[in-house]
Amino acid sequence: MLRTLLSLLALCASASALAAQPATMRLDYLHSGNARDEHYAIERVVIEPLPWPGNLRQTIDQTNRGNNMVEVVDANTGKLLYSRGFSTVFAEWRSTEEAARVDRAFEESVRFPKPEQPVRVRILKRDERNQFSLVWTADVNPDAMDVVRKQPPAPVKPIGIRVNGPSEDKVDLLIVGDGYTQAEMPKFEAAARRLADHLFQVSPFKERARDFNVWAIALPTQESGVSRPSTGVHHASPLGARYDIFGSERYVLTTDNRALRELAQYAPYEFIEILVNNDTYGGGGIFGQFSTAAADNDWANYLFVHEFGHHFAGLADEYYTSPVAYATGGERREPWEPNATALRDPARLKWKKFVKAGTPLPTPWPKQAYETASRAYQKERAALRAANRPESEMSALFRRDLADTNALFSRDPHLHTVGAFEGANYEATGYYRPEMQCIMFDRSAAFCAVCADAISTIIDLYSRPEK
Ligand SMILES: [Zn+2]
């Protein structure tokens, strides 16, 4: 009897602990500079309308991903209260040619459980040894007068697409629409459901589907679609997501972080994928920030999952034959990303637990034949875009390209081998990927074993196993 009573009391105590999620604090700051210098400045500290959606038992991030790390420490004791790795649009822009001659500023945010006491928010950045070192500190007092405590009522209600449990026990993925008119809201909801359904058909998301909640939210816009400046199309969409970021026709991002955060805060979220209401192939993904995908494109399923791989798990692009906005070449530093390596020391390959004894490193693959076919395909692709041909022709080209690659790879003995295949991270030489094929390499259907494992690690960080 006493035991029953005690366990009942324990149950009540844990239930009330669950109910007592702290508020969500957000530090909005400006990150500016150029290829040589960078500066940070506080914009505002905000208490978001919804409680902290995260698991309070896993406040410290030990996955060692991202260009940056945020640490929240107790201002008096120095105790580490919260940390997360992340990357930024600023860091991507910094690797473009423009950053050598122009200063630019980007809005960024870090979110953390509201502390009881003054804290120090520290932003760290990787140095040339790949270690995090401190670049900026901001003192945040949760009781300070200038903390924004009151938010306007939600402009729209979030839709529960898949709700499997309390937010603190689940990974909360928020799908945000941009470029949808009021009349197109049912279309947005249908796209969010369709793409979420697809995500959970791909391993390891498939096996871990119950560890996720998926929400959707969108502010209606006057005109359908988002801007695509390279074709003279400009729309005032609520989040300002657009094509042609950093001059790359298929690169879709928003640089209006404030608009994004001020809408997202009305849903529980840890990860964001923005759906743009367009059919032109395009997307983007920044680790710990957000990803984007063109919802109406024939390859939307692939775009949604590939870009989410960047955003969710910090996966590198394993491809190297498509043109990108970043300056490539130069020294081959070991990437922090879990699925690319400079292979300095094959004996210490970071994914060696997946490599069977006797696998040659580097691992041979039909690289030359692939590159010859890929060069021809990239030429066709550029010509289709230059002539502004219908999107269906581009989709058909992508289908042919994948079929050709599949045919070439299917004859190779290392088709499903985990090894080190040269060509990754936008470089034909000096960087290696774990398998011949992966969603991060081409438009194939599955993640390689190393990417799948890297995704599972992040699911573990944000969810709590069901009893
Ligand atoms: Zn992979």
Side-chain angles (χ1 to χ4, degrees):
M1 181 66 192
L2 183 67
R3 262 183 67 178
T4 322
L5 195 71
L6 280 177
S7 56
L8 241 164
L9 277 172
L11 221 122
C12 292
S14 69
S16 71
L18 275 181
Q21 281 291 111
T24 303
M25 265 202 132
R26 192 179 79 229
L27 167 62
D28 292 345
Y29 58 93
L30 212 59
H31 190 181
S32 64
N34 53 46
R36 290 166 304 280
D37 298 311
E38 60 184 311
H39 304 281
Y40 290 83
I42 297 174
E43 280 190 296
R44 70 185 74 76
V45 179
V46 171
I47 296 176
E48 294 193 343
L50 296 185
W52 181 246
N55 182 347
L56 289 174
R57 297 171 189 215
Q58 301 191 107
T59 50
I60 310 302
D61 180 1
Q62 287 168 324
T63 61
N64 194 24
R65 310 244 179 114
N67 283 317
N68 294 94
M69 169 78 81
V70 56
E71 290 183 347
V72 179
V73 302
D74 186 305
N76 292 315
T77 64
K79 184 182 178 228
L80 181 61
L81 304 173
Y82 178 80
S83 67
R84 278 302 179 270
F86 66 101
S87 296
T88 62
V89 180
F90 176 85
E92 296 224 336
W93 169 74
R94 249 189 147 191
S95 67
T96 67
E97 166 280 321
E98 186 187 55
R101 46 188 179 79
V102 177
D103 286 340
R104 273 186 75 171
F106 295 82
E107 294 170 339
E108 294 171 7
S109 301
V110 288
R111 299 161 74 232
F112 49 91
K114 179 179 172 288
E116 296 293 322
Q117 70 285 14
V119 291
R120 201 150 275 174
V121 176
R122 295 147 46 99
I123 304 288
L124 296 84
K125 186 184 140 185
R126 290 203 191 259
D127 58 23
E128 51 292 339
R129 297 163 305 135
N130 250 347
Q131 307 292 313
F132 284 117
S133 56
L134 186 66
V135 284
W136 185 56
T137 301
D139 287 324
V140 173
N141 179 353
D143 298 319
M145 278 198 295
D146 49 6
V147 171
V148 180
R149 289 179 171 74
K150 187 92 185 165
Q151 301 282 350
V156 280
K157 258 184 72 167
I159 308 162
I161 298 286
R162 284 168 171 249
V163 182
N164 285 306
S167 285
E168 56 267 34
D169 295 345
K170 305 293 172 188
V171 185
D172 285 273
L173 162 60
L174 175 60
I175 299 177
V176 187
D178 201 23
Y180 290 87
T181 64
Q182 186 63 53
E184 288 173 319
M185 283 299 144
K187 179 189 174 191
F188 164 64
E189 184 179 337
R193 290 189 186 280
R194 166 171 57 86
L195 292 164
D197 285 350
H198 174 71
L199 180 71
F200 294 110
Q201 280 168 25
V202 179
S203 292
F205 296 111
K206 182 180 173 179
E207 294 77 10
R208 304 290 301 270
R210 287 193 56 81
D211 288 320
F212 282 77
N213 289 336
V214 182
W215 309 89
I217 199 167
L219 272 181
T221 184
Q222 293 295 315
E223 297 168 322
S224 186
V226 304
S227 296
R228 196 176 161 221
S230 57
T231 52
V233 175
H234 297 270
H235 291 303
S237 67
L239 302 182
R242 65 168 179 86
Y243 288 77
D244 304 301
I245 293 289
F246 307 148
S248 172
E249 52 94 10
R250 67 178 194 282
Y251 199 13
V252 179
L253 294 179
T254 173
T255 53
D256 193 346
N257 174 70
R258 185 166 179 182
L260 176 61
R261 300 293 160 189
E262 288 191 345
L263 176 59
Q265 66 180 354
Y266 293 104
Y269 78 94
E270 286 149 330
F271 297 91
I272 295 177
E273 183 133 7
I274 300 171
L275 297 186
V276 297
N277 185 20
N278 289 63
D279 68 357
T280 304
Y281 185 85
I286 315 271
F287 178 52
Q289 304 288 338
F290 60 89
S291 48
T292 70
D296 283 0
N297 185 265
D298 295 330
W299 288 87
N301 282 350
Y302 155 77
L303 285 167
F304 189 85
V305 178
H306 173 97
E307 303 300 353
F308 193 59
H310 290 304
H311 166 46
F312 185 74
L315 301 179
D317 273 318
E318 295 175 14
Y319 62 73
Y320 64 93
T321 59
S322 311
V324 289
Y326 326 114
T328 53
E331 135 194 54
R332 303 285 192 268
R333 268 162 61 172
E334 178 62 22
W336 57 262
E337 288 90 342
N339 60 328
T341 181
L343 199 64
R344 293 251 180 278
D345 181 1
R348 292 175 55 200
L349 176 60
K350 59 189 171 193
W351 55 74
K352 81 169 176 225
K353 68 171 175 178
F354 295 98
V355 180
K356 285 207 182 86
T359 306
L361 299 173
T363 318
W365 68 288
K367 186 169 189 281
Q368 209 129 53
Y370 173 79
E371 287 175 7
T372 305
S374 195
R375 266 195 296 273
Y377 144 75
Q378 293 293 353
K379 231 170 116 179
E380 257 186 272
R381 176 180 181 171
L384 286 180
R385 272 290 174 260
N388 207 5
R389 299 295 305 163
E391 198 59 29
S392 56
E393 294 183 22
M394 189 64 91
S395 299
L397 174 66
F398 290 168
R399 279 194 294 275
R400 216 167 65 223
D401 171 56
L402 180 60
D404 290 349
T405 306
N406 285 341
L408 174 68
F409 286 6
S410 66
R411 300 190 293 267
D412 195 273
H414 290 302
L415 176 60
H416 297 297
T417 303
V418 179
F421 297 83
E422 190 171 40
N425 211 17
Y426 318 128
E427 301 287 357
T429 58
Y431 282 133
Y432 300 78
R433 60 187 193 278
E435 288 188 29
M436 268 166 62
Q437 255 182 323
C438 171
I439 291 175
M440 303 314 287
F441 175 72
D442 65 5
R443 295 180 196 86
S444 49
F447 284 107
C448 70
V450 171
C451 286
D453 180 65
I455 290 167
S456 298
T457 303
I458 303 294
I459 300 175
D460 292 342
L461 180 63
Y462 285 87
S463 63
R464 200 143 69 128
E466 287 181 356
K467 284 166 207 86

